[in-house]
Amino acid sequence: MSTTENKFLSIKTKQELSSILGLDYHILTYNLYKLTDDKKYVTFKIKKRGKGYRNIIAPDSGIKYIQELLLKVLTKHYPVKNCVHGFVESKSIKTNAQLHVRKKIIVNIDLQNFFPSINFGRVKGVFESYPFNFNDEVSTTIAQICCYKGILPQGAPTSPIISNFICRKLDNELIVLSKKGRFHYTRYADDLTFSTNILPLPKEIGTITDNKLKISSELLNVINSNGFSVNNDKIRFSKKENRQEVTGLIVNDFINVRRNFIRQIRAMLNAWEKYGIYDAAREHFDKYNYKGKKTKHIELSYLNEIVGKISYVGMIRGKDDIIYQNLLKRIKRLNPNVKLSIIKRASEQSDIPILYGEGKTDWKHIKAALDFFKKQKEFLDLDIQFETYEDGLEINNIELLKICEITPKTKFNKSKVICLFDRDYKGINYKVVEFGKHYKYWGNNVYSVLLPIPKHRGFEEVCIEHYYNDKDLTRVDKNGRRIFLSTEFDPKTGNHLSEKLTYPNTNYLKSKYPRIIDNKVFDIETGKNKALKKDDFAKNIIQQESNFSDVSFESFKELLLTLDEIVKK
């Protein structure tokens, strides 16, 4: 065991816990004791495939960051059991199903309200026992980090591993029972699976009468005595002559996905090949949109769904499987044109030039600058529409370059397509401009623009936020948050050079130019996050919030002049 792991097991106070996590003590106490539960977490519901909804309790940035640090430490101390396959590195639903292949009978049992049934006291008890043996102060603090309103929240990074620690005794007792009854046992989260080649069913599992399974009192007692209960609606058994499933996988002869799953993928690919992705996606989501997705770019959602399904087939059947290989070949033939088709459709539906940037905030700054200058009677003829990147279309610089290279080869674009590049990838920068200009014409109404370097910045790696002067860039919003520059911090300690603030990612601070920091800047005294997200910074500017209503847009002029030149060509 490493020195760090030994130090973790020997901690006695909250301060030592904070130190071993690499966290300032005030940040820990602020998030635990000054924030209310409702400010630490966001709760929402997602629709299940069947009936009803699943309640998700997701931690907000501050407590989530602490949980992520704790998770790294806890992972090193979890003694992985052979029977446990959920939330364990290198294990999956596939490894969970492997032990139950070609068995004469399989029994599936689900635990009722798995995460909510793990309360604060049970979590605290984990850290009071082996291998931790922490005192009351430390075990209470860790339980406070991990719990929401006295329960283990589904959605927190630490909840899965905590549940595995909680289930150690349950797993041990079921392993003993399985040896006694000569059957196999595995667990994937709240899904318990038992299988055997012994008939009739071992009495330790239960009895089957009139095609109904009654769980044995011995098995029920093990489950109940460990603080869990059985979901009676999800007790299933299957014999060899029937379809046998374990965590959604078929295990009769080998591990496989359902036939209907492959048929769905083929049908989606067939529709794409026959009708084009837009029409195929529209029909698909009209019929099967069980999650109620509302998306501007249904093509992208369609692509992501197919890719996810094919990847799943590859994981289960293997990458050398002929069915997977054939599906992969088909999607590769269709895939490269997805985002191009979205852009093409947009350009065909409008006469107004469309600007595509790399990020979801660039357009907000450019629009705010254009609106400002139009009020000053400048750029009155510059009419342009902005891609707002709703629903995850967001394009990186490599994809933007692909648009520039491929789109001109299609039929004539009705409107101009302008691709705007940040300057943070030198390998692309020289490809997207012509000598002596800030832009390049690719033909067929397609242009690329490289952000001009503003006069007040003496470095090349410019992003859109660098267009503001430092005074405007670091303005404070109504919640006391702001954008920070990496040069404001000591690259060795992460501490702010003039304020009582700290930034934990010291590697990010080693850059030679001032990089933008918009997260995880903590007040040393209160532990509060003082960083303003880039998107929130952009919203404050475009909405002209009180402290952002008079920022200077002077540095945007050269970019707007470039766009104006392109639009008027």
Side-chain angles (χ1 to χ4, degrees):
M1 189 175 290
S2 68
T3 304
T4 303
E5 290 174 57
N6 279 323
K7 284 183 178 179
F8 179 70
L9 293 179
S10 62
I11 58 177
K12 305 294 182 185
T13 65
K14 290 193 287 283
Q15 290 85 348
E16 290 176 358
L17 172 62
S18 180
S19 176
I20 204 72
L21 295 178
L23 189 70
D24 190 280
Y25 179 63
H26 291 93
I27 295 170
L28 176 67
T29 55
Y30 175 81
N31 279 279
L32 288 187
Y33 308 122
K34 292 191 177 181
L35 285 181
T36 61
D37 280 341
D38 293 336
K39 289 184 178 180
K40 294 178 192 177
Y41 291 85
V42 176
T43 60
F44 56 93
K45 293 181 178 181
I46 58 173
K47 196 174 187 303
K48 295 180 181 179
R49 281 188 177 271
K51 296 180 180 179
Y53 292 83
R54 178 176 288 107
N55 291 318
I56 302 297
I57 304 170
D60 205 355
S61 58
I63 195 69
K64 182 179 180 181
Y65 176 61
I66 297 171
Q67 290 171 347
E68 287 170 345
L69 294 175
L70 179 60
L71 175 61
K72 291 178 182 178
V73 179
L74 294 181
T75 301
K76 297 174 182 177
H77 293 276
Y78 176 66
V80 180
K81 293 185 176 295
N82 291 334
C83 63
V84 179
H85 296 263
F87 319 126
V88 177
E89 188 177 354
S90 76
K91 290 191 175 185
S92 64
I93 58 171
K94 184 177 180 179
T95 62
N96 184 60
Q98 187 69 58
L99 196 64
H100 306 290
V101 174
R102 292 189 296 275
K103 294 296 186 290
K104 291 184 178 179
I105 189 164
I106 292 176
V107 173
N108 306 100
I109 297 174
D110 278 18
L111 301 180
Q112 184 89 33
N113 297 324
F114 183 59
F115 284 106
S117 67
I118 301 174
N119 59 34
F120 183 92
R122 297 181 72 182
V123 176
K124 182 172 179 284
V126 164
F127 296 101
E128 291 175 329
S129 58
Y130 181 84
F132 306 106
N133 301 312
F134 290 139
N135 60 29
D136 184 73
E137 178 181 332
V138 175
S139 58
T140 298
T141 303
I142 295 177
Q144 289 170 332
I145 292 172
C146 299
C147 292
Y148 167 80
K149 293 186 176 180
I151 64 169
L152 201 61
Q154 184 172 354
T158 43
S159 292
I161 195 168
I162 296 292
S163 70
N164 278 344
F165 273 111
I166 290 285
C167 288
R168 282 182 302 174
K169 184 170 176 285
L170 171 70
D171 292 327
N172 288 336
E173 292 181 7
L174 289 179
I175 288 171
V176 171
L177 189 64
S178 69
K179 289 179 180 178
K180 178 183 175 183
R182 292 190 296 167
F183 58 84
H184 296 291
Y185 158 69
T186 63
R187 180 177 62 82
Y188 192 97
D190 59 347
D191 195 331
L192 314 183
T193 304
F194 309 91
S195 67
T196 181
N197 281 325
I198 298 174
L199 291 178
L201 185 69
K203 60 181 177 57
E204 287 81 5
I205 298 177
T207 54
I208 298 174
T209 307
D210 297 329
N211 209 33
K212 290 184 179 180
L213 170 65
K214 181 180 180 181
I215 298 175
S216 73
S217 58
E218 192 172 6
L219 177 54
L220 274 176
N221 183 58
V222 170
I223 294 171
N224 295 337
S225 65
N226 278 279
F228 297 104
S229 58
V230 171
N231 184 343
N232 291 316
D233 294 331
K234 291 190 176 182
I235 299 174
R236 307 172 302 282
F237 76 93
S238 51
K239 295 180 179 180
K240 183 69 177 174
E241 56 269 22
N242 306 121
R243 187 174 72 179
Q244 296 177 312
E245 287 189 36
V246 177
T247 46
L249 299 176
I250 310 301
V251 294
N252 290 69
D253 298 306
F254 58 91
I255 297 177
N256 200 3
V257 298
R258 297 171 184 169
R259 289 181 182 178
N260 190 47
F261 188 79
I262 301 293
R263 292 194 190 103
Q264 287 175 359
I265 301 172
R266 286 173 175 160
M268 293 176 77
L269 290 170
N270 288 339
W272 184 349
E273 291 163 344
K274 188 173 182 179
Y275 304 110
I277 188 169
Y278 176 68
D279 289 333
R282 186 174 58 181
E283 182 182 12
H284 175 76
F285 289 118
D286 282 347
K287 286 184 177 180
Y288 307 111
N289 191 9
Y290 68 91
K291 289 185 179 179
K293 289 181 181 177
K294 293 181 179 179
T295 173
K296 177 182 177 183
H297 303 297
I298 57 174
E299 300 102 314
L300 196 67
S301 294
Y302 193 71
L303 167 69
N304 291 339
E305 186 170 324
I306 295 177
V307 169
K309 288 176 182 292
I310 294 175
S311 298
Y312 181 72
V313 172
M315 181 188 80
I316 301 304
R317 293 181 64 96
K319 297 299 172 66
D320 57 348
D321 176 72
I322 188 64
I323 292 177
Y324 167 73
Q325 288 289 335
N326 289 336
L327 294 173
L328 186 63
K329 287 175 185 176
R330 291 177 69 180
I331 192 66
K332 280 187 173 181
R333 285 196 297 266
L334 294 164
N335 185 3
N337 298 317
V338 173
K339 290 184 180 179
L340 294 178
S341 73
I342 296 172
I343 290 165
K344 180 182 174 184
R345 182 160 58 85
S347 67
E348 288 175 347
Q349 293 174 349
S350 175
D351 294 319
I352 302 173
I354 307 171
L355 179 71
Y356 292 89
E358 291 183 38
K360 62 182 180 180
T361 61
D362 289 18
W363 72 271
K364 295 177 183 178
H365 296 292
I366 299 170
K367 185 179 186 305
L370 182 57
D371 289 346
F372 169 81
F373 284 113
K374 284 191 174 185
K375 289 178 182 177
Q376 309 302 315
K377 308 300 181 184
E378 298 183 64
F379 300 106
L380 293 176
D381 296 329
L382 179 52
D383 195 7
I384 194 167
Q385 59 180 318
F386 301 94
E387 171 52 57
T388 59
Y389 295 131
E390 297 176 14
D391 307 314
L393 176 66
E394 200 167 348
I395 300 172
N396 61 36
N397 50 17
I398 295 174
E399 290 168 327
L400 274 178
L401 184 61
K402 188 187 297 182
I403 290 168
C404 294
E405 292 171 339
I406 298 177
T407 307
K409 298 175 184 177
T410 62
K411 71 178 184 178
F412 183 77
N413 292 304
K414 185 177 180 180
S415 65
K416 290 185 172 74
V417 173
I418 304 171
C419 298
L420 180 65
F421 291 79
D422 286 348
R423 306 184 69 97
D424 54 359
Y425 192 4
K426 292 183 179 180
I428 284 181
N429 291 355
Y430 75 93
K431 296 180 181 180
V432 299
V433 291
E434 296 172 2
F435 183 75
K437 293 183 178 181
H438 297 307
Y439 68 90
K440 177 178 179 178
Y441 179 54
W442 295 80
N444 204 359
N445 262 345
V446 177
Y447 295 80
S448 60
V449 176
L450 184 64
L451 281 179
I453 300 175
K455 294 177 181 179
H456 67 287
R457 298 298 183 191
F459 51 91
E460 288 190 20
E461 295 85 350
V462 169
C463 64
I464 199 73
E465 286 81 13
H466 286 123
Y467 270 46
Y468 300 98
N469 61 51
D470 288 355
K471 181 180 177 182
D472 288 341
L473 181 60
T474 57
R475 289 187 181 220
V476 179
D477 77 343
K478 61 184 179 182
N479 297 314
R481 299 188 177 191
R482 70 173 176 90
I483 292 282
F484 290 86
L485 296 170
S486 59
T487 49
E488 296 183 63
F489 298 85
D490 185 324
K492 292 182 179 179
T493 65
N495 292 330
H496 197 276
L497 297 176
S498 60
E499 302 178 50
K500 292 183 178 180
L501 304 170
T502 186
Y503 178 67
N505 187 5
T506 53
N507 287 332
Y508 192 78
L509 304 176
K510 295 174 182 177
S511 171
K512 294 180 181 178
Y513 66 93
R515 302 175 77 175
I516 305 297
I517 297 177
D518 70 337
N519 194 19
K520 297 178 182 177
V521 175
F522 297 106
D523 187 307
I524 292 176
E525 293 183 349
T526 66
K528 189 174 183 180
N529 180 23
K530 304 292 287 186
L532 181 66
K533 292 281 188 183
K534 286 183 182 180
D535 194 42
D536 291 331
F537 174 69
K539 286 177 183 176
N540 281 323
I541 288 175
I542 202 169
Q543 294 170 5
Q544 293 189 307
E545 295 294 336
S546 57
N547 199 32
F548 295 80
S549 60
D550 61 344
V551 297
S552 172
F553 293 105
E554 191 62 31
S555 293
F556 284 82
K557 233 179 185 180
E558 191 169 5
L559 172 60
L560 293 175
L561 284 168
T562 301
L563 296 177
D564 193 50
E565 181 180 344
I566 291 172
V567 169
K568 290 178 178 177
K569 275 186 174 293

